[in-house]
Amino acid sequence: MFGYVVVNKQELKYKEFDIYQSYYCGLCQTLKENFGISGQISLNFDMTFMALLLSSLYEPESRVVYNKCFLHPIKKRMKCFNEYVDYAAMMTILFSYYKCDDDWQDEKAINKLLYAQLLKKGFLKVKDLYPYKVEVMDKELTQIHIYEKNGTATIDEIAGCFGRIFGTMVAMKKDEWYDELYELGFYLGKFIYIMDAYDDIERDIKKHNFNPLMYDKDSDDFEDKSYVLLEMMISKASSAFECLPIIENAEILRNILYSGVWSRYNLRRNKRTEDKN
């Protein structure tokens, strides 16, 4: 489900992309150091966005290092570490564990069951630190599973569940920015869920999996309706972002929210247009 909140690299300055990459690489190393290779595998762009967003808002003291790694053995990479990168790593483990468990229940994918077992130790560690976030995640993912099993939920109902999950993760702590961060995360989470449904609709129909967009798939205005839905969600997320007093890395974050998030959508829509023609 994750992987939609990415940068539009072509529209970033070299220095800006290096900064973004430093958070991605920092999150990667943090996952490996705290949760092993099994945790490192769960690295994704969406949580990199969260690490960059929270770091840019709270401006913590960060540690920046330059070193090589197994995946990049030739050139040293800049890596950024701070408490918000650590937090993003923990939220990555939480969601990855629950997603594996959900995939096991839905598809009986043995590889997901095995991966969940590898993540379990890390999951239990994070659960002790953030019990409320685990409670919300457990409740909302259970509700998503019920909606998918019954096959009757509207796209707004089911996407709202994921919105509450992502909103709870993005709003790290109860402070003066909690409401704005939660709203940003809520609508970005809804965007992610709707985008995932739009992206996977052919596969879901073929496998007889529930997809809340499937009833409109063959309508003439399916593409336009899907775009309007996605645009509404990202517009509300962006409005919440603009209420935050972020100066550092603001243009990188705007690049993601206003441009990068549409990368996968444009690829999928263009592919469908080509297939029809």
Side-chain angles (χ1 to χ4, degrees):
M1 184 175 290
F2 279 160
Y4 298 109
V5 188
V6 300
V7 293
N8 183 341
K9 185 178 178 180
Q10 292 180 332
E11 294 186 9
L12 278 182
K13 298 175 183 176
Y14 287 116
K15 183 179 179 181
E16 290 173 335
F17 184 73
D18 286 343
I19 292 171
Y20 174 80
Q21 191 76 38
S22 74
Y23 281 90
Y24 183 80
C25 291
L27 180 57
C28 180
Q29 186 168 322
T30 300
L31 283 165
K32 182 180 180 182
E33 290 178 352
N34 294 340
F35 304 103
I37 294 176
S38 58
Q40 186 181 26
I41 295 171
S42 63
L43 174 70
N44 62 76
F45 295 113
D46 308 68
M47 292 302 183
T48 302
F49 169 80
M50 186 165 71
L52 179 63
L53 171 72
L54 295 175
S55 298
S56 301
L57 175 62
Y58 292 111
E59 299 182 350
E61 185 174 335
S62 298
R63 180 171 61 93
V64 177
V65 301
Y66 294 82
N67 56 33
K68 301 174 185 178
C69 67
F70 177 76
L71 294 176
H72 305 98
I74 306 299
K75 183 179 178 181
K76 289 183 178 180
R77 296 249 181 166
M78 180 169 67
K79 300 178 182 179
C80 181
F81 304 94
N82 60 49
E83 61 184 293
Y84 300 103
V85 175
D86 292 342
Y87 173 76
M90 289 187 279
M91 293 302 103
T92 301
I93 296 300
L94 275 189
F95 188 80
S96 297
Y97 177 83
Y98 273 116
K99 186 66 173 70
C100 286
D101 183 65
D102 186 62
D103 287 344
W104 163 249
Q105 292 186 50
D106 288 345
E107 303 175 12
K108 300 303 177 187
I110 190 66
N111 61 318
K112 298 294 185 177
L113 178 64
L114 294 173
Y115 186 41
Q117 291 303 309
L118 292 174
L119 293 174
K120 190 169 185 179
K121 182 179 179 181
F123 166 76
L124 293 174
K125 175 183 174 183
V126 178
K127 182 180 179 181
D128 288 340
L129 294 172
Y130 295 99
Y132 174 70
K133 296 184 188 298
V134 171
E135 180 184 339
V136 171
M137 199 172 294
D138 186 50
K139 176 185 174 183
E140 298 299 339
L141 286 173
T142 298
Q143 187 59 57
I144 289 175
H145 185 70
I146 292 171
Y147 279 147
E148 291 176 340
K149 186 176 180 181
N150 294 339
T152 57
T154 65
I155 186 65
D156 189 61
E157 288 173 329
I158 196 166
C161 293
F162 195 76
R164 286 185 285 275
I165 289 171
F166 208 63
T168 301
M169 288 194 291
V170 171
M172 177 181 173
K173 49 192 174 183
K174 290 276 189 179
D175 61 8
E176 66 268 36
W177 306 117
Y178 178 88
D179 291 342
E180 288 80 6
L181 286 170
Y182 181 87
E183 186 171 355
L184 192 168
F186 175 75
Y187 286 108
L188 189 56
K190 290 185 75 172
F191 175 91
I192 291 169
Y193 189 91
I194 296 168
M195 186 60 230
D196 187 63
Y198 174 83
D199 197 19
D200 288 346
I201 192 165
E202 287 90 358
R203 183 179 68 87
D204 287 338
I205 291 173
K206 184 178 180 180
K207 291 191 172 185
H208 304 289
N209 293 332
F210 174 71
N211 185 309
L213 297 178
M214 63 195 303
Y215 304 112
D216 293 324
K217 174 64 172 65
D218 295 324
S219 63
D220 293 336
D221 59 350
F222 170 73
E223 293 293 344
D224 291 337
K225 287 173 67 175
S226 297
Y227 176 78
V228 168
L229 267 176
L230 291 165
E231 187 179 43
M232 286 172 58
M233 297 306 107
I234 209 64
S235 175
K236 288 180 179 292
S238 300
S239 294
F241 167 77
E242 296 298 347
C243 292
L244 295 169
I246 293 177
I247 298 176
E248 185 179 2
N249 303 321
E251 292 310 308
I252 305 174
L253 293 164
R254 288 192 178 100
N255 171 282
I256 295 169
L257 289 170
Y258 291 102
S259 179
V261 294
W262 293 104
S263 300
R264 190 82 158 265
Y265 170 82
N266 290 330
L267 285 173
R268 177 59 69 190
R269 183 163 187 166
N270 291 340
K271 179 65 166 58
R272 288 197 177 109
T273 301
E274 290 174 7
D275 290 344
K276 285 182 180 180
N277 294 336

